[in-house]
Amino acid sequence: MEVLLLPPHSKAVLMGNEAIARGAIEAGIGVATGYPGTPSSEVIMSLSRVAKELGMYVEWAVNEKVALEIALGAAFAGIRSLATMKAPGANVASDSFVSAAYSGVNGGMVILIADDPGPHTTQTEQDSRWYADLAKLPMLEPSDPQEAKDLVVKGYDLSESLKLPVILRTTTRVNHTVGDVVYGEMRRIERKPIFIKDVERYVRASMVGNLMRHKWLNNQLAKAEEEASKLGINRVEGDGNIGIITSGVSYSYVIESLKRIGKEHKVRIIKIEMSYPLPKSFLLKHLKDLEKALVVEELDPYLELKVRTLAHEEKLGVEIWGKKESGIPIEGELNPFIVMRVIAKFLDIGIVELKLEEPRTAITPRPPPMCAGCPHRFSYYALLKAIKKAGFKLEEVPIMGDIGCYALSYEPPLEAIWTEHAMGASIGLALGLKVSGLDKPVVATIGDSTFFHAGIPPLLEAVHKNLDVIIVILDNEVVAMTGHQSTPEWSVTESGRRTTPIDILSLVKGLGVRYVKVINPYNINEAIEVFTEALLMKNAGPRVIISKAPCALMVIRQGKILGPRRTIDYNKCRNCLLCIIETGCPALTTEEVFGKKRPVIVKELCVGCGHCAYVCPFNAIIEEVKKSD
Amino acid sequence: MINEFNLVIASVGGQGGLTLSRIIAEAALSNGYSVRTGETLGMSQRFGSVLSFVRFGEDVRGPLIPFAKADVLIGLELLEALRAWKFIGPKTLVLVAKISIPPVFSSLSHIPKWSSYKYPSIDDILMNLRKRAEKAIDIDALPILRKLNNVRGLNVFMLGIFAASPRNPIPKSLYEDAIRKVIKRNIELNIKTFRIGYDIGQRLEFT
């Protein structure tokens, strides 16, 4: 039985993202789309399991902006829709959702923006709550999986009553927390899509119209608090003349901390679930007789600034404790330890300070390596060899990186990429280095999905301006980093939809690139040769090399391996360990024999890529012979 | 019923630590508890450090366990168990598999450039765990799992050990139901592995 389709009142343990998916099902959505990005990906992944059965359109889009527009178009037509993205994806989609506030929607629309305080897997710790203010879109913030589900359902109702898309802003500790969730009714919304021409509303060309829509928008926002309160959004717990204002996962830490220091129910907790627009009457009602109030929130002092402004405007006597007074950090994520200390200080309660004494043994770092057999390892290995072969020094040829597993090439032993900036930025930044006058070759390296997402416009720019860069498209035929999602190269998607696969080679040629080569990275000599050729060309415009081989992990999960597993012939091995030094392959380790370290191939981990055999100067690494009995 | 039980699982990506947290979460829910799990993982799918938290009880809220407050730490790998030291306090029971998976460059730690990757000695790790915890028990799991032809079943084996400890508040049968629900392949072999862990656990001195 599919857990997402259990009947109402069932109780299940769901990950926050699965709970969001269930909420979308309960709300009767018809369209869900997004672009993979940790910690948001599991929402679409979960929905695609039930898409066919529920007759829902659930597909990954080429990027977040396109995803947002698809969801918005559906909501124009009256169909409830969902768009999902991680925080940097919201930056990509922002052009469209800022305008969406002026047109509004007919069917309910929720935009999931998953922030990553910590950060755990994101290039910045951007606090996307500011997007609600910028775009003027209502924003809801759940604190656990149950609330995530409930607020999605309420979010659709709020969206339809205000005719505005609603942002659901989460953080990793909500998206990736598993918790018990009680199910609600599944609403079946049978609507025929209708789109009625309304130029003033949907065409942003008329400046008079835009001014009018801005006034309409502000008018809608003015109703938001009342509509939210009808839906039971925002609440107060406990009592007393001292208060804590909080939202999102921080709320859980507040409750726990109060319990731990024996002040449960003795403090008034003002839990903000709609943090934009600020629920002013609600806050005023619960703030006005307080002596002092502490704001507990992660990252920026977002609520704090608003609460301070409100208290000032209304001349409230309440003393506000924000980041400065409490010492709550503005970087990194909060945890129960930090929050308990802050609350104890705020309530002036002495607690026994926990002494965390570090172990005397140094804890070896464990940076995540590229997987055994990863084709990216081969691509970068060959590229580095080619740079030397072409007569350049490694430190004079910048290799620009991009977003994906291959960014792990910054680590030893490859230490390949010089930058990892934003989706598709490897190419644009490489162009910038060239136009600045840098006379050495510049190489941009970009994955297939990242290329589709944001690499096409900068390549077009390179072709058009005839800029002299080398672009390596690392095509592993999947969005690997976020858990193997489909790319436009696939002919069938996760929900079973037959699609037209996009061929990168034809696409690049169609953009007008004259030098295009496709290489198999596992063929190291050929790869070195092609890279060297491209590096030695001068004023030849952009050269594109497509390094094509499926993600090794995907191959292994299909029950296959890349080639015959390797083993070491210790008669030939001279213990130089170059196999480990050059590849950093996690299937290699060492053992001590007669006081000497010698390399060992871990049988269960070797996938037969042969990289270690290639680098061995003594031909000591050989194909494993299967014993006949 | 207990108010709040805090369990930490320390493992290397690919060892099944996250699956284990999901199994325990399912069993806890079946036992009528409220549940939260949280995780901290590196970027890669395999071979990085994975720390998972499982909390259950009458009233649990956030996904994170306060420092020094783990009731039990299950370590699927020695170095990772030590990496979770902040969560071990004077009342913590540590159950650690005597398995070391050195990071790739540990094998080069005799070369000065890679010296910071030196893998600590097993005795050092165990000494540190024992010093911190109320009790730390190391279990030589690999020979047993190899004999069962189920090295990948380390997670359910260690669950069996935990299930046999007096700290465990959930009936054994609920774990078996949860294993059947969460694990998709080799269910019977994994149930068997769990039971063998349980049998071995019953012979251990937990206090």
Side-chain angles (χ1 to χ4, degrees), chain A residues 196-366:
Chain A
I196 299 162
K197 187 173 178 183
D198 183 343
V199 171
E200 189 186 279
R201 180 172 169 193
Y202 298 114
V203 180
R204 298 272 71 80
S206 150
M207 298 308 125
V208 179
N210 289 350
L211 184 64
M212 279 176 59
R213 288 306 286 183
H214 191 187
K215 286 179 181 165
W216 169 85
L217 169 60
N218 288 334
N219 207 26
Q220 294 305 95
L221 289 174
K223 294 184 241 169
E225 182 176 357
E226 199 190 328
E227 293 301 324
S229 97
K230 281 186 211 160
L231 293 164
I233 294 171
N234 303 319
R235 64 173 199 266
V236 170
E237 285 171 30
D239 211 354
N241 56 359
I242 288 177
I244 296 176
I245 303 162
T246 187
S247 70
V249 73
S250 309
Y251 161 79
S252 318
Y253 306 145
V254 167
I255 297 280
E256 275 186 38
S257 302
L258 288 174
K259 216 159 83 174
R260 222 162 280 263
I261 53 183
K263 287 285 175 186
E264 211 183 356
H265 313 301
K266 289 182 182 129
V267 173
R268 187 182 301 175
I269 300 164
I270 304 175
K271 181 174 187 298
I272 306 291
E273 289 167 344
M274 183 177 77
S275 32
Y276 185 86
L278 192 73
K280 285 191 181 174
S281 324
F282 165 80
L283 265 166
L284 265 181
K285 184 176 157 200
H286 298 290
L287 268 182
K288 66 174 190 289
D289 53 346
L290 287 185
E291 255 173 47
K292 57 180 188 173
L294 164 73
V295 184
V296 181
E297 60 187 324
E298 277 175 331
L299 300 176
D300 297 342
Y302 176 88
L303 283 174
E304 177 188 337
L305 280 174
K306 296 179 173 217
V307 169
R308 276 191 199 283
T309 309
L310 182 72
H312 181 75
E313 275 171 3
E314 301 292 332
K315 301 191 170 55
L316 299 182
V318 55
E319 177 194 350
I320 308 281
W321 274 45
K323 297 274 183 185
K324 199 175 145 192
E325 296 80 358
S326 68
I328 295 176
I330 54 172
E331 308 96 359
E333 63 175 357
L334 297 184
N335 61 42
F337 185 71
I338 298 173
V339 173
M340 190 176 78
R341 276 210 309 207
V342 164
I343 292 180
K345 182 177 153 195
F346 174 66
L347 298 177
D348 206 14
I349 294 172
I351 50 167
V352 183
E353 273 287 329
L354 182 66
K355 269 190 233 128
L356 285 170
E357 201 187 313
E358 291 217 21
R360 263 183 265 147
T361 302
I363 299 172
T364 320
R366 193 188 292 279

Side-chain angles (χ1 to χ4, degrees), chain A residues 67-87:
Chain A
L68 191 114
E69 287 153 3
I70 290 172
L72 182 62
F76 279 178
I79 304 301
R80 289 189 163 191
S81 68
L82 173 69
T84 72
M85 58 206 69
K86 70 183 293 177

